[in-house]
Amino acid sequence: MTAPRRIVIVGTSIAGITAAEELRADGFDGTITLIGDETEQPYSKPPLSKAFLAGSETDDDIRLPDLDHLDIDLIAGVAAHGLDRDRRRVLLDGDEVPYDGLVIATGARAATLRDWGGNPDGLDETVLRTADDARALRALLVDGHRLTVVGGGVLGMEIASTAASAGMDVTVIGTTAPMLSALGPYVSQLILDRALDAGVIYSVASKGAVLEAAGGRTRVRAGGETIESDAVVTAVGCVPNVAWLRDSGLSVSPGLIVDERCRVASDIVAAGDVVSLQGRARTPHWSSALGQGRSAAAALLRGDEAEPYVARPYFWTHQFDLSLKVAGEGIPDHEPELLDGDLADLTALWRWSTDGSPVAAVALNRHIPISRLHAHAGQA
Ligand SMILES: Cc1cc2nc3c(=O)[nH]c(=O)nc-3n(C[C@H](O)[C@H](O)[C@H](O)COP(=O)(O)OP(=O)(O)OC[C@H]3O[C@@H](n4cnc5c(N)ncnc54)[C@H](O)[C@@H]3O)c2cc1C
């Protein structure tokens, strides 16, 4: 294959920046153009629901390292509107950028209840995806006020935890027990217990929640109940940012489908939350964005000779007094094996096995190298 000379990366968050770093680290000395629709300097998203939302981390604390050393042409505050694959052009508003290698790293947006039919009147929804969203949500965290969080997944529970620490009366509406699909029933119960101890009310409404207008406010209907509060935040997953690829002929449902080297087409690769690996559930986590950013860059430069991407799902979460690191997928329903730790002081290293083979491991309130956690989870 002929190595590209002009590489364009769309998306200026962790997947796009990692791809740029990897291209340079791999010796690529052609031009790199990085296009992003946000105007602020690239930042890290995980603190947005934790310390940054609480106000204990600042804008400077969450900034990603600057890009000066990478010799990049940065086009910031400009969205890509389309992709002309025949002419190899990324289309901007009234402009276009030519490429001979393209990295798509446009991530995902927050899903809303409107996406799931739970907002028939089209009310405004407060969501948390960007630094601006976090600033807006922080302004709603008022001691003594009531907050309803729709969504009992990782993000919803982190918001609930931060809001409860700020002195709010928090109600969470989930379609299942907290974080059940990510963590299985055993750890989910532990999280529920800690949430209840912190004063959070948790309701399961298997058919989901519906927003309705109530005077100047929004209230939530769920499982036959109506919940009034001062503020409502929706945390119901994320949707890959693929609308701009609508006319590109690429396969974009449920995300941008990539092969085992993160390739979408011969001159196009993709990484991060926008991606769907063939035949697997999406893993919209920080570590996936890093790993795929590296693999995507290598595949653009070396094609079939690049190492395939090895999916080793991993994420972490901090909520209430729990710090959890999770390796593996599909935690089974049965109780885990306790490898180490003591639940009496809220520390544990758990492992789940299926048919005698390890499939997942979770560390609770413990420092453990990620590689060791992967090993416990049976991930080479
Ligand atoms: C609040 C929050 C907390 C999180 N906490 C954790 C955690 O604790 N642990 C964990 O493992 N993961 C966590 N995650 C997930 C993690 O942050 C994401 O997996 C990661 O940010 C994905 O990176 P990305 O570069 O693929 O996409 P994104 O971070 O979504 O970035 C995509 C970028 O592309 C831009 N863009 C989109 N469309 C266009 C376009 N058409 N033209 C130009 N630019 C465009 C976007 O504005 C954005 O800047 C969290 C996410 C959020 C939102």
Side-chain angles (χ1 to χ4, degrees), residues 10-16 35-38 45-50 78-81 105-108 128-130 155 158 241 244 271-274 284-287 289 314-317:
V10 187
T12 50
S13 185
I14 189 64
I35 302 170
D37 60 1
E38 294 193 81
K45 288 196 165 73
L48 299 185
S49 47
K50 310 174 185 77
V78 176
H81 283 306
T106 45
L128 177 53
R129 181 75 200 177
T130 66
L155 184 60
E158 288 186 350
N241 282 323
W244 68 284
D273 283 9
V274 73
H285 305 311
W286 189 259
S287 65
Y314 167 82
F315 73 95
W316 73 94
T317 176

Side-chain angles (χ1 to χ4, degrees), residues 116-330:
W116 308 127
N119 184 358
D121 299 329
L123 303 175
D124 285 344
E125 293 184 50
T126 298
V127 295
L128 177 53
R129 181 75 200 177
T130 66
D132 271 345
D133 292 340
R135 291 181 193 108
L137 181 57
R138 193 195 293 150
L140 299 175
L141 302 189
V142 178
D143 195 351
H145 280 204
R146 295 162 304 169
L147 176 72
T148 301
V149 181
V150 180
V154 182
L155 184 60
M157 293 308 289
E158 288 186 350
I159 295 170
S161 165
T162 305
S165 298
M168 299 191 82
D169 292 332
V170 181
T171 300
V172 180
I173 314 286
T175 51
T176 65
M179 297 177 59
L180 187 64
S181 62
L183 290 173
Y186 186 84
V187 185
S188 170
Q189 183 63 48
L190 176 81
I191 290 169
L192 179 60
D193 291 344
R194 306 314 289 180
L196 298 179
D197 279 355
V200 170
I201 296 171
Y202 194 94
S203 292
V204 175
S206 55
K207 294 197 174 125
V210 175
L211 300 183
E212 54 187 34
R217 289 194 185 144
T218 298
R219 70 180 168 214
V220 181
R221 241 181 333 103
E225 268 185 278
T226 301
I227 300 119
E228 309 270 357
S229 47
D230 300 288
V232 177
V233 57
T234 308
V236 293
C238 64
V239 180
N241 282 323
V242 289
W244 68 284
L245 298 166
R246 200 180 298 113
D247 300 323
S248 67
L250 297 175
S251 177
V252 293
S253 184
L256 197 52
I257 310 286
V258 297
D259 74 4
E260 70 284 359
R261 289 182 173 78
C262 295
R263 288 177 299 197
V264 177
S266 63
D267 47 0
I268 305 178
V269 294
D273 283 9
V274 73
V275 155
S276 232
L277 298 176
Q278 261 166 3
R280 298 184 69 125
R282 290 177 60 238
T283 53
H285 305 311
W286 189 259
S287 65
S288 306
L290 284 175
Q292 291 165 6
R294 291 187 196 113
S295 291
L300 212 46
L301 298 182
R302 291 196 301 283
D304 284 343
E305 276 156 34
E307 289 291 318
Y309 169 70
V310 179
R312 289 189 299 172
Y314 167 82
F315 73 95
W316 73 94
T317 176
H318 300 298
Q319 46 189 279
F320 309 102
D321 48 0
L322 309 174
S323 162
L324 292 151
K325 299 187 180 76
V326 183
E329 274 175 307

